[in-house]
Amino acid sequence: MPELPEVEALAAYLRDRAVGRRVERLEVVAFNVMKTFDPPPTAATGLEVTGASRHGKFLDVHLGDELHLVTHLARAGWLHYREAFPGAAPLKPGKGPIALRIRLDDGSGFDLTEAGTRKSLNAYLVTDPRLVPGIARLGPGVLDVDADTFAERIRGRRGQVKGVLTDQEVLCGVGNAYSDEILHLARLSPFALTNKLTDEQMARLYAATRQLLTDAVARSVGQKAAELKGEKRAGLRVHARTGLPCPVCGDTVREVSFADSSLQYCATCQTNGKPLADRRLSKLIR
């Protein structure tokens, strides 16, 4: 799932490449992706791309003075920028990966795509990004708060730190992959309870969050959209590295599986050498 660094980089790429061009056509290829109907997609025709920004993990393309094309790329969505399209005819709805296409007046444009059969990519054409329900519920940006506010927000939602750190209503921008990386860098168990974190542990968590995300943004911004996924994978130390050695201590990276996701961690670095029980079992080892 694209998270804060990748979405920030996509916004920066669109600012460099698409701003100043006019929309020739907005094509909704997968009807389930567009969650709004007023204004209609035809309202984007002829409008200039005036900017691009990010709200948590939402990408916002500014059209003219009043419209915003907002998208949440979900787990398997992505933005592919095209310098040219193979044909001028509108795409026909089908079973392919393209969900939405923006054609610009210089022949370029971009596709929003989604791989797999589980379709959860969402797009909204709105006059104000705050009309998007997910944006209206967002907490402060995780890189926009000081240490005291960070600690207050984390401790204010009692639960396992992994889940609270990825709760977009608490602090927005962090997802499954970067939360694994942050907790590894902070040397914290993903199952540690937020109300029991010491001040020293909270300070480590705040510092790790800022360091890891700031470094990831610096690596990502300036990359082409097609290169961002590889850049993200190259920077991961524990996430999606089950069975490989931890780059810090050499222990084997372990995994806990859930119904539709998983987390990765290093027992030596994060849980005093104790493996965590699978979340599907009743017993958890902290």
Side-chain angles (χ1 to χ4, degrees):
M1 176 184 290
E3 301 176 42
L4 184 157
E6 296 80 51
V7 179
E8 185 65 38
L10 289 173
Y13 185 76
L14 289 176
R15 289 194 294 269
D16 288 342
R17 181 62 185 83
V19 165
R21 311 311 314 182
R22 291 190 177 273
V23 175
E24 181 180 284
R25 190 164 65 235
L26 190 164
E27 302 174 19
V28 180
V29 185
F31 294 117
N32 64 297
V33 75
M34 186 62 75
K35 303 304 180 183
T36 55
F37 62 90
D38 184 21
T42 53
T45 301
L47 295 183
E48 180 181 341
V49 180
T50 54
S53 58
R54 177 186 59 80
H55 311 277
K57 295 186 288 184
F58 288 82
L59 177 65
D60 180 358
V61 182
H62 310 178
L63 302 175
D65 296 328
E66 297 183 354
L67 285 187
H68 298 258
L69 176 63
V70 178
T71 184
H72 189 284
L73 295 170
R75 177 172 296 184
W78 197 244
L79 183 148
H80 297 269
Y81 204 93
R82 316 291 189 189
E83 294 301 328
F85 292 104
L91 291 173
K92 295 181 179 180
K95 297 182 179 180
I98 299 175
L100 185 148
R101 171 169 288 180
I102 288 278
R103 295 177 186 264
L104 301 176
D105 59 2
D106 65 346
S108 71
F110 58 89
D111 292 332
L112 296 180
T113 67
E114 186 170 23
T117 58
R118 183 177 177 180
K119 303 300 183 183
S120 52
L121 186 151
N122 294 328
Y124 310 79
L125 192 62
V126 292
T127 55
D128 187 333
R130 290 172 294 184
L131 294 173
V132 176
I135 292 179
R137 294 192 297 266
L138 290 178
V142 69
L143 289 180
D144 299 329
V145 296
D146 60 20
D148 290 340
T149 304
F150 179 90
E152 180 182 349
R153 301 290 297 186
I154 293 292
R155 288 193 173 113
R157 183 68 60 88
R158 181 174 178 175
Q160 295 173 347
V161 66
K162 162 85 173 180
V164 174
L165 191 59
T166 57
D167 187 333
Q168 302 303 293
E169 296 183 20
V170 176
L171 294 164
C172 67
V174 178
N176 190 35
Y178 285 115
S179 60
D180 283 351
E181 297 297 300
I182 289 167
L183 292 170
H184 178 253
L185 185 60
R187 307 190 307 282
L188 289 174
S189 166
F191 293 161
L193 297 177
T194 55
N195 64 316
K196 293 185 178 180
L197 293 178
T198 66
D199 289 344
E200 191 271 337
Q201 289 175 320
M202 186 66 75
R204 292 205 315 261
L205 181 62
Y206 177 72
T209 300
R210 293 198 64 83
Q211 177 184 330
L212 194 139
L213 292 180
T214 300
D215 289 349
V217 170
R219 292 196 315 270
S220 299
V221 171
Q223 301 278 348
K224 294 181 179 179
E227 300 170 352
L228 284 171
K229 288 185 180 181
E231 181 62 38
K232 179 178 183 178
R233 285 193 295 268
L236 299 177
R237 302 192 299 178
V238 291
H239 183 77
R241 289 177 55 86
T242 303
L244 297 175
C246 168
V248 174
C249 71
D251 192 4
T252 301
V253 173
R254 301 171 188 264
E255 176 175 300
V256 176
S257 297
F258 300 88
D260 59 355
S261 65
S262 63
L263 65 82
Q264 288 78 41
Y265 71 100
C266 170
T268 295
C269 292
Q270 296 175 252
T271 61
N272 295 318
K274 297 180 181 179
L276 296 171
D278 194 295
R279 188 64 179 87
R280 292 171 296 186
L281 304 178
S282 60
K283 182 179 179 181
L284 301 179
I285 302 173
R286 291 187 177 85

